[in-house]
Amino acid sequence: MSAPLLHLENATMQFGGLKCVSDLSFAVGTGELIGLIGPNGAGKTTVFNLITGVYRPTLGNITFAGKSVVGHRPYRITSRGIARTFQNIRLFGSLSVFENVRTACNMHLRHGISHALMRGPKFAAENRETECFVDELLTIFGLTAARDEPCRNLPYGDQRRLEIVRALATRPKLLLLDEPAAGMNPTEKNELMKLIRFTQEKFGLAVLLVEHDMKVVMGICQRIIVLDYGRKIAEGTPAQIRSDPKVIAAYLGKEAA
Amino acid sequence: MIERTKILLLVAVLASAAISLFAGQINPYYYDILISIGINIILATSLNLVNGYTGQFSLGHAGFMAAGAYGSAWLSLAFGYVLGTSAAGTTTMFVLALTTGGLIAALAGLAVGIPSLRLRGDYLAIVTLGFNEIIKGVIQNAEPLGAQRGLGGMGQHTNFFWTFALAALTVYVVLNLVHSTYGSGFLAVRDDEIAAEAMGINTTKYKVLAFVIGAFFAGVAGGLYAHFKQFIHPEGFNFLRSVDIVVMVILGGMGSTAGVILAAILLTILPEGLRALAHQPWLPDSLRPIAENRMILYSLLLIILMITRPQGLFGGPGLKRRKA
Amino acid sequence: MIEFLQQLINGLAQGSIYALIALGYTMVFGVLRFINFAHGDVFMLGAFAGLYTAPSLLKLCGGGPSFPGAAAVLLAAMLICAVIGILIEKLCYRPLRDRPRLTVLITAIGVSLFLENAGQYAFGADPQSFPEIITDRALEIPESWGALSALTLTVGQLLVFGVTFFLLIGLRAIVRHTRTGMAMRALSFNPVAASLMGVNTDVVISFTFGLGSALAGAAGILTSIQQPSIDPLMGINIGLKAFVAAVLGGIGNIPGAALGGILIGLLEALVVGYINPSYRDAIVFGVLILILLVKPSGLLGKPEREKV
């Protein structure tokens, strides 16, 4: 078996006396679609924050494509190929839909500040290239109609979709989705599931998905990791997870198990 | 968009050159106001890059202006003779002095920008204010810069052409920056730092860059000021001068260059208008001090604006509402 | 050695003043999470409140400078400042309760500039001499104390120490043992939870402003007793120093503000005594920048992190 794309080894995150994530190990291989589930407060978002460098793990190691990402600033980790969306939508509120996505192309620019100022032919060429790339993404995700709208005018579901588009514009190898279906109705959720699978196939991505909606997670994930109180209590295929007594206990309480 | 700003820049430079030819016929009082308008446009537009577009609230722009004013004045006084007294010689020297002033201010901007990385909002405002005081304090204690006595004797090289050509350049640089993929990093830092980092944007670099570029142009404005007034004093670059510039940016609408330029013009003329008003015979004596002290009006303007229209008079995206 | 002790006494007296003002910054920051830029100007208004009330209050208390007279002026200034503080919050900050912190900060700068400039308009821009509400003289230190008798300790300084000590004890009692004090602490700990638990946020915030402003008013009188020349801009510098003190101690932390104030006072006295008086302000701001870089949560504060 080749080395996994993302590998957490005994990652632990402690805030004061509270261990939000303890001794967590798992791996995500290239092109895999993995679900990360658990009751509220199980530490799922903290895991994302550890992977993307918002927090530095107290103990343990996290490697991406064979190299450790611990201690790197978030933007560096993104440039290595990890992109994410946020549970509480964090779009660039004053920018248009187009500009939001274009901003994510920033780190792939071949030309720097002097080109932005001089605006020579090279700048124009690269500018056109970026615009085409962004417009293509917007078309794929059906956001072209809203291209020049301020992003905060979008309906909630579209904002979530825009977050995914923006993350994709960084051209990642691994995409972390933090509750992308939150607040959506069943039709929207179905569409989202299709979209996630489509994206994963089209861009050859690995996806790590945090989601509360079991139907979504069970429906599209190849493997599921279950967290409770910051610990991994189970890992396996959707069928294995569904029948795991520890998982049922974590979700419904001990007596129900 | 790209072509338009280039043409705009060209038109502004040509127009200022043309007007400059007739400068001798302009009433000196109005000429003085016109130059002040140009300098204030540079100051406000450059501060807008920091406060408006990048969302780093700086209260120390006058400190950078001081660094540029003293840097350029010192160069002029110490080495002014090197290139001779021909028109070409003095002009080259003047451009060198302005550039030096700008670079010294940019260096000061770097010194402020680096601590700013770890600070937000109110803290940053206070630290930049502190830096303003420190720069002033250093000048007050520096004998070669005239210390408490002030510094004078620079030639009056600043004219209409230089002032407005440089104002146009400032506007051009700021607009080109923020309307490019590269420059969208500034706006991203303002809107959401954490999301910006997650999108691969080096927020550190953009914050420092905003401070350095903003400070550079403030320094250039300081150089223009020093070579126009021909006398500079540390107290001319105090906290209140910084507030003047901040009021322009806020009134114009943080992140709206056109609005900020309008505000700079308006707020340069307003105190003059008020001063004229203070001498009107029909004005009750009790109101004269209010007309003479623009700060009473400015402060009320700030409070009322923030309560009723925080995005400024001339629109702009405005300050973002944020959940607690 | 005597020289050093003398600087310590002077520093402690100035530091007490900073401490009283710093408490206002820190308490307001605690409940509202913003820097009340205008707080230093409330201190100035305290001095002017003393200037205008002293003649009639002194007459009431028997005429000349006296302890009861001074106490009456002190209380009057504290009361007037408390009312002003509450009004400022009601008129200027309350409409901005849910707005970005920057909007509130800009407003606070506006309020500060307004008080300074309207003060120049109302009171006149020139310094005025503060009435003698108590005779400030150097105390005789008995010869029997040996070398210590060379020290200068004034009545004003002694008064500063006494009043500050008393006010700090009082503040501690209010914050720890009264219902409003507890509500204040609850609010600074978690505003949402506090209001859900039935804390009347508006009342507590008003109370906090009143309390902080009263302390600033007291500082205004105590300063004016020692340096009886007051002007409408006197609050700018002292206010900034007190703010630095609050940050040094850990903003939002009440004992921290008191500690920070005293440390800044001592630092200043040592800079004046041993380095160069003209560097006093620059060094204090240098300290501010250093703390914010090394330990932004201050000496006694706890770090905060943003939730992602």
Side-chain angles (χ1 to χ4, degrees), chain C residues 28-252:
Chain C
V28 167
F29 190 90
V31 295
L32 280 181
R33 295 274 174 264
F34 94 99
I35 297 165
N36 180 13
F37 221 85
H39 190 59
D41 302 299
V42 174
F43 155 85
M44 171 274 289
L45 290 176
F48 277 93
L51 175 77
Y52 288 111
T53 57
S56 44
L57 285 176
L58 286 183
K59 204 177 286 170
L60 260 166
C61 298
S66 65
F67 270 106
V73 173
L74 187 76
L75 286 177
M78 288 174 71
L79 196 70
I80 292 170
C81 285
V83 171
I84 293 172
I86 291 170
L87 278 179
I88 291 176
E89 193 274 326
K90 267 222 159 74
L91 294 176
C92 304
Y93 303 148
R94 189 160 300 178
L96 302 173
R97 199 57 69 69
D98 299 317
R99 300 276 190 84
R101 272 159 66 170
L102 213 51
T103 311
V104 192
L105 177 75
I106 296 167
T107 312
I109 294 172
V111 173
S112 165
L113 290 171
F114 179 76
L115 293 180
E116 286 153 16
N117 292 286
Q120 291 186 337
Y121 174 63
F123 311 137
D126 297 324
Q128 301 188 43
S129 67
F130 192 79
E132 193 180 28
I133 56 173
I134 196 151
T135 315
D136 191 20
R137 61 187 166 80
L139 291 170
E140 298 282 332
I141 297 176
E143 293 284 341
S144 57
W145 286 26
L148 288 181
S149 62
L151 285 175
T152 317
L153 183 66
T154 66
V155 175
Q157 285 175 329
L158 217 56
L159 206 64
V160 170
F161 297 143
V163 172
T164 306
F165 183 73
F166 178 76
L167 288 176
L168 288 182
I169 297 289
L171 181 69
R172 189 184 143 98
I174 290 175
V175 173
R176 290 209 166 188
H177 302 302
T178 65
R179 281 182 66 90
T180 323
M182 275 188 264
M184 247 173 83
R185 283 189 288 152
L187 201 58
S188 68
F189 193 71
N190 186 338
V192 179
S195 67
L196 288 178
M197 289 298 129
V199 170
N200 186 336
T201 323
D202 285 347
V203 169
V204 176
I205 290 172
S206 285
F207 179 78
T208 309
F209 267 85
L211 202 59
S213 304
L215 293 176
I221 299 296
L222 293 172
T223 301
S224 308
I225 290 175
Q226 300 177 77
Q227 294 144 8
S229 164
I230 65 174
D231 67 87
L233 301 184
M234 67 192 282
I236 302 177
N237 201 299
I238 293 193
L240 281 172
K241 302 277 182 60
F243 168 74
V244 177
V247 174
L248 174 64
I251 196 144

Side-chain angles (χ1 to χ4, degrees), chain A residues 111 115 118-128, chain B residues 6:
Chain A
H111 304 112
H115 284 79
M118 303 301 180
R119 313 230 148 181
K122 266 193 207 158
F123 169 84
E126 185 167 21
N127 208 33
R128 265 197 304 278
Chain B
K6 257 187 188 166

Side-chain angles (χ1 to χ4, degrees), chain A residues 73-75 78 84 86 90 92-95 102-104 106-107 109 112-113 116-119 123 127 166 170, chain B residues 2 6 172-173 176 179-182 184 187-188 190-192 194-204 206:
Chain A
R73 292 259 313 273
Y75 84 93
T78 306
R84 73 178 287 184
F86 294 91
R90 280 176 172 265
F92 301 123
S94 66
L95 304 186
R102 189 182 65 168
T103 304
N106 195 298
M107 68 182 190
L109 284 179
I113 184 167
L117 289 178
M118 303 301 180
R119 313 230 148 181
F123 169 84
N127 208 33
R166 188 179 65 170
T170 65
Chain B
I2 297 164
K6 257 187 188 166
Y172 175 81
V173 166
N176 267 0
H179 293 292
S180 67
T181 308
Y182 183 86
S184 58
L187 309 176
R190 172 190 68 188
D191 279 1
D192 193 322
I194 287 171
E197 282 268 335
M199 293 307 124
I201 285 165
N202 184 351
T203 53
T204 307
Y206 277 96

Side-chain angles (χ1 to χ4, degrees), chain B residues 78-166:
Chain B
F79 300 101
Y81 61 90
V82 173
L83 296 175
T85 50
S86 67
T90 47
T91 306
T92 316
M93 198 60 222
F94 179 51
V95 172
L96 269 178
L98 288 183
T99 317
T100 311
L103 289 177
I104 290 175
L107 217 60
L110 190 68
V112 180
I114 288 171
S116 83
L117 303 174
R118 302 182 54 170
L119 305 171
R120 268 157 228 235
D122 330 21
Y123 278 111
L124 179 63
I126 302 274
V127 165
T128 50
L129 190 163
F131 262 106
N132 192 346
E133 291 297 311
I134 290 174
I135 291 175
K136 209 182 86 190
V138 168
I139 295 169
Q140 275 171 339
N141 285 295
E143 266 313 311
L145 296 179
Q148 307 263 22
R149 299 182 308 279
L151 189 62
M154 298 74 80
Q156 195 182 49
H157 302 306
T158 299
N159 58 22
F160 194 90
F161 169 72
W162 283 114
T163 310
F164 281 89
L166 286 169

Side-chain angles (χ1 to χ4, degrees), chain A:
Chain A
M1 187 185 141
S2 64
L5 186 62
L6 175 78
H7 196 182
L8 272 77
E9 296 162 278
N10 310 103
T12 300
M13 185 68 215
Q14 199 165 351
F15 293 111
L18 185 71
K19 269 190 186 166
C20 288
V21 173
S22 58
D23 213 19
L24 179 67
S25 302
F26 68 84
V28 179
T30 311
E32 269 191 303
L33 208 169
I34 310 284
L36 185 63
I37 64 170
N40 276 327
K44 301 172 304 265
T45 298
T46 309
V47 171
F48 273 21
N49 285 337
L50 288 177
I51 298 172
T52 54
V54 176
Y55 300 146
R56 191 196 168 115
T58 322
L59 287 171
N61 195 14
I62 300 171
T63 55
F64 182 71
K67 282 191 214 138
S68 174
V69 296
V70 173
H72 286 284
R73 292 259 313 273
Y75 84 93
R76 281 217 165 278
I77 295 174
T78 306
S79 70
R80 301 252 299 263
I82 303 181
R84 73 178 287 184
T85 66
F86 294 91
Q87 188 182 349
N88 44 343
I89 301 174
R90 280 176 172 265
L91 291 168
F92 301 123
S94 66
L95 304 186
S96 71
V97 169
F98 171 81
E99 287 168 328
N100 260 283
V101 182
R102 189 182 65 168
T103 304
C105 301
N106 195 298
M107 68 182 190
H108 290 293
L109 284 179
R110 293 183 302 274
H111 304 112
I113 184 167
S114 56
H115 284 79
L117 289 178
M118 303 301 180
R119 313 230 148 181
K122 266 193 207 158
F123 169 84
E126 185 167 21
N127 208 33
R128 265 197 304 278
E129 210 178 290
T130 310
E131 281 182 20
C132 287
F133 174 69
V134 172
D135 281 328
E136 200 180 322
L137 277 179
L138 290 178
T139 314
I140 295 174
F141 288 83
L143 286 166
T144 311
R147 183 184 189 270
D148 297 314
E149 291 269 322
C151 69
R152 56 181 133 192
N153 291 0
L154 289 188
Y156 190 75
D158 285 355
Q159 291 198 12
R160 288 227 171 267
R161 241 176 331 147
L162 179 56
E163 273 227 333
I164 299 176
V165 180
R166 188 179 65 170
L168 285 175
T170 65
R171 301 174 211 173
K173 298 189 193 89
L174 169 67
L175 180 63
L176 311 180
L177 298 174
D178 200 347
E179 297 199 24
M184 288 186 175
N185 62 36
T187 332
E188 286 176 318
K189 277 181 187 169
N190 268 332
E191 263 179 46
L192 182 81
M193 281 163 66
K194 273 188 227 151
L195 196 69
I196 292 174
R197 210 178 291 151
F198 166 77
T199 328
Q200 186 217 0
E201 280 161 14
K202 175 164 169 83
F203 296 93
L205 285 176
V207 176
L208 186 59
L209 172 72
V210 164
E211 187 48 65
H212 268 299
D213 191 298
M214 284 306 143
K215 240 183 94 192
V216 172
V217 179
M218 298 290 174
I220 59 175
C221 293
Q222 296 153 348
R223 198 148 51 85
I224 293 171
I225 295 157
V226 189
L227 288 187
D228 192 24
Y229 293 109
R231 292 177 183 283
K232 181 166 87 176
I233 56 168
E235 180 172 352
T237 62
Q240 289 170 328
I241 294 300
R242 226 184 306 242
S243 56
D244 191 317
K246 271 192 286 183
V247 178
I248 299 168
Y251 270 90
L252 302 174
K254 278 263 160 358
E255 290 77 27

